[in-house]
Amino acid sequence: MNHLDFKTAFEQLTPSLLEALGLVVTLALLSFVLALTIGMLVALGRLSKVRSLQVVLIAFLEIVRGTPLLVQLLYVYYVLPEIISYIVGIWVPGYHMNISAFTASIIGLGVNYGCYLSEVFRSSIQAIDKGQLEAAKALGYTSRKAMWHIVIPQSIRIALPPLGNYFNAMLKDTSLCAFITLGEIILKTQAYASQTFLTIESYTIAALIYLIVSIPLGQAIRIMERRLRRHV
Amino acid sequence: MSKIMVTIQDLHKRFGENEILKGIDLSISQGEKVAIIGPSGSGKSTFLRCINYLEQPTSGTVMIEDKKFAEPNQKANEKHVASLRQEVGMVFQSFNLYPHKTALENVMAALITIRKIPKGQAIKIAETFLQKVGLANRKDHYPSQLSGGQQQRVAIARALAMEPKVMLFDEATSALDPQLVGEVLQVIRELANEGMTMVLVTHEMKFAREVADRIIFMDGGVIVEEGEPDTFFTNPKHPRTKEFLQQVGN
Ligand SMILES: Nc1ncnc2c1ncn2[C@@H]1O[C@H](COP(=O)(O)OP(=O)(O)OP(=O)(O)O)[C@@H](O)[C@H]1O
Ligand SMILES: [Mg+2]
């Protein structure tokens, strides 16, 4: 085995990985906003009393949770545009849909995490004592107002730590987007390693970059958790 | 004759197969204090919760002054119910304060969200009502930083701040340590003396006798007996009333 050349790998690879990190953080933030929106809507839908809506949502959750994130990313990137092109092509001959790897990544991550977040929202809403809703109603709140003004703000406090953990996990799961050609950390590392054969060095640096973000984030979530626990 | 504040006609409530309320009629005049007593499971809470439609009756009507919550046998309109509920304050056994809000915020939340009162003014109103229950100096405390008695007084202030025409108390002191009961009863007593119309479900017979103008004894989902307190307690007519009063050691 050649001896390790961390110095070269560090100098050549790190700048491009830091750039990729910027992309990854942007991707994670956008995907997370989408996931939060989907998660809250699905949670409220499942807590509503509309039976047919519940059936549809449960089916949706089962499908998403029953398939790997990687498969979903591949599906959104390669299959979905084909299907849409085919359908639209019936009316608009020759139509072909293009989707960028970045957009596909946002959709894939957002939908996948949205399903998991919906469970966080649902259980955190259910964890709020029924008396809270009743107290608000007794003061003249409609159910909807009581939900948005009294119940959900309390449930968010319960949900924040798990939400933080999911965000942290999502940051790392962006690495799967390498499979759909997104120029994120892993794809860049792979390219560099195969050119230079600095395999150990390259992947170690990539791992460190994830750790540099992930560890402080995890720490911050724990501190937040402790603070939030004060007035519940 | 004074104005009728609450009118309840032929009220029935069923949970699945169980008929909990089996036809209740009651009128409450302005300023009247009605205490409801009765064995556990007799439907007292259910009845009280029907008065502000937290529980939708299976049939019958509930009116606050001249406004019905819903036409008999029709589905209630949620907006209308919510707006009429503003005229009925309710105090729960378990306080139900918002844990994430300070005492002041608890009292002013509905003023802002429901009454649409500007924040500055809402703060003033909230402070006035906290003062009234003797907690002006606790306004920035969270419920978790208050004793049970203090929490219940904040809950009373929160209900009063909406300036309801009627107050409902469902065993307001049952969850409290014995040494904290007095301070809450004192607040309720003062409210009674100011002429608030109130309905109290209570296990405190002495207090019921002292504060109420009328005692109602419920059992099995009906009003078994009602009367003016002294007569009711010294000379109950119905055998079930006698038995109940004996059991609670009156
Ligand atoms: N939401 C509900 N669903 C089904 N049954 C209910 C519901 N609420 C109350 N009940 C039943 O109705 C009956 C009367 O209950 P309620 O709480 O009104 O009695 P109570 O007189 O207030 O009793 P306590 O003195 O113990 O508070 C009980 O048998 C109870 O189990
Ligand atoms: Mg009860």
Side-chain angles (χ1 to χ4, degrees):
Chain A
M1 191 171 102
N2 301 327
H3 49 242
L4 298 174
D5 189 0
F6 267 101
K7 189 165 177 295
T8 309
F10 186 82
E11 281 168 359
Q12 294 178 337
L13 182 58
T14 311
S16 82
L17 287 197
L18 287 179
E19 199 181 302
L21 178 62
L23 177 79
V24 161
V25 171
T26 313
L27 170 62
L29 286 173
L30 291 174
S31 306
F32 208 69
V33 170
L34 179 62
L36 288 171
T37 312
I38 292 174
M40 183 55 92
L41 291 176
V42 171
L44 290 175
R46 287 204 60 196
L47 290 169
S48 82
K49 292 184 185 97
V50 188
R51 192 80 192 100
S52 52
L53 182 62
Q54 293 195 6
V55 172
V56 171
L57 291 176
I58 290 172
F60 173 66
L61 291 180
E62 289 296 332
I63 291 169
V64 174
R65 285 185 304 191
T67 50
L69 172 58
L70 179 56
V71 173
Q72 292 160 18
L73 287 168
L74 292 169
Y75 213 84
V76 174
Y77 188 57
Y78 293 113
V79 182
L80 208 59
E82 292 300 319
I83 294 176
I84 293 175
S85 299
Y86 178 78
I87 294 172
V88 178
I90 296 173
W91 292 280
V92 189
Y95 173 86
H96 196 266
M97 183 190 174
N98 280 311
I99 188 167
S100 72
F102 190 67
T103 308
S105 300
I106 293 177
I107 296 172
L109 287 167
V111 170
N112 180 278
Y113 273 79
C115 286
Y116 292 96
L117 298 194
S118 78
E119 291 296 293
V120 173
F121 284 127
R122 193 168 70 100
S123 64
S124 68
I125 288 171
Q126 282 175 328
I128 304 301
D129 186 79
K130 237 179 111 247
Q132 294 291 310
L133 187 69
E134 293 200 331
K137 280 178 152 187
L139 288 163
Y141 289 68
T142 56
S143 299
R144 181 184 292 255
K145 272 203 167 130
M147 199 68 181
W148 283 107
H149 288 270
I150 303 299
V151 176
I152 289 179
Q154 289 180 56
S155 71
I156 297 288
R157 278 151 201 266
I158 300 176
L160 270 177
L163 291 182
N165 289 327
Y166 271 111
F167 181 72
N168 207 347
M170 183 191 262
L171 263 176
K172 287 166 276 181
D173 273 349
T174 56
S175 57
L176 289 173
C177 299
F179 285 91
I180 57 169
T181 75
L182 185 76
E184 49 64 73
I185 295 172
I186 295 306
L187 200 71
K188 296 222 162 146
T189 306
Q190 217 168 26
Y192 180 77
S194 60
Q195 274 167 31
T196 60
F197 300 105
L198 296 173
T199 309
I200 297 177
E201 297 85 335
S202 305
Y203 285 102
T204 306
I205 292 171
L208 284 174
I209 292 214
Y210 283 109
L211 282 175
I212 286 169
V213 180
S214 176
I215 290 178
L217 192 58
Q219 217 58 37
I221 292 160
R222 260 183 295 278
I223 293 170
M224 174 176 77
E225 194 168 5
R226 229 172 295 135
R227 290 228 177 143
L228 286 170
R229 232 184 262 144
R230 276 188 307 192
H231 300 298
V232 270
Chain B
M1 220 191 89
S2 66
K3 186 158 69 167
I4 302 293
M5 293 300 282
V6 182
T7 311
I8 291 141
Q9 286 166 340
D10 196 26
L11 185 75
H12 291 256
K13 178 66 188 179
R14 185 187 285 285
F15 288 113
E17 288 295 289
N18 280 348
E19 187 165 42
I20 304 300
L21 301 178
K22 300 173 182 164
I24 294 186
D25 293 274
L26 182 68
S27 295
I28 302 167
S29 315
Q30 185 166 39
E32 196 181 4
K33 293 113 190 74
V34 176
I36 301 175
I37 61 172
S40 184
S42 57
K44 306 181 297 293
S45 296
T46 306
F47 176 49
L48 203 65
R49 292 158 57 79
C50 281
I51 299 182
N52 68 351
Y53 257 59
L54 270 188
E55 221 57 89
Q56 174 148 356
T58 308
S59 67
T61 45
V62 179
M63 279 202 294
I64 306 301
E65 286 186 296
D66 55 354
K67 283 174 266 176
K68 288 182 186 141
F69 273 102
E71 292 302 321
N73 307 320
Q74 278 185 21
K75 203 169 165 353
N77 171 293
E78 204 202 346
K79 285 228 168 84
H80 171 72
V81 169
S83 107
L84 193 48
R85 269 196 202 120
Q86 292 177 43
E87 320 214 328
V88 187
M90 187 170 212
V91 175
F92 302 86
Q93 181 175 348
S94 50
F95 328 139
N96 295 345
L97 287 184
Y98 311 136
H100 63 308
K101 292 180 184 287
T102 63
L104 188 75
E105 289 164 351
N106 261 278
V107 179
M108 63 192 240
L111 297 176
I112 293 171
T113 312
I114 305 301
R115 279 277 152 87
K116 311 281 185 210
I117 292 173
K119 192 170 175 195
Q121 207 180 327
I123 291 176
K124 289 222 176 67
I125 297 172
E127 282 172 345
T128 312
F129 282 95
L130 281 177
Q131 174 95 49
K132 191 177 165 70
V133 298
L135 289 171
N137 58 344
R138 292 284 190 277
K139 68 185 168 94
D140 295 322
H141 286 53
Y142 285 88
S144 59
Q145 299 166 321
L146 297 171
S147 73
Q150 291 170 333
Q151 288 185 55
Q152 192 60 299
R153 282 147 68 197
V154 174
I156 294 173
R158 178 174 69 174
L160 291 177
M162 294 296 279
E163 312 216 10
K165 295 179 174 145
V166 185
M167 283 286 287
L168 311 175
F169 293 88
D170 191 1
E171 303 200 24
T173 58
S174 294
L176 297 174
D177 291 338
Q179 74 273 16
L180 300 176
V181 169
E183 63 187 68
V184 173
L185 291 185
Q186 184 53 31
V187 169
I188 299 176
R189 186 180 287 122
E190 280 164 19
L191 201 57
N193 292 338
E194 288 168 17
M196 175 62 83
T197 310
M198 336 202 273
V199 185
L200 307 113
V201 170
T202 183
H203 283 153
E204 306 265 348
M205 297 302 151
K206 241 182 78 212
F207 185 69
R209 188 168 180 171
E210 173 203 330
V211 176
D213 305 308
R214 183 157 41 138
I215 309 286
I216 288 181
F217 173 64
M218 270 183 73
D219 194 9
V222 294
I223 295 178
V224 174
E225 182 168 352
E226 59 180 298
E228 177 271 326
D230 284 333
T231 340
F232 180 93
F233 283 108
T234 51
N235 192 12
K237 303 271 178 313
H238 201 286
R240 265 146 80 194
T241 319
K242 288 180 190 167
E243 192 190 340
F244 174 75
L245 289 178
Q246 237 156 34
Q247 274 168 8
V248 298
N250 191 281

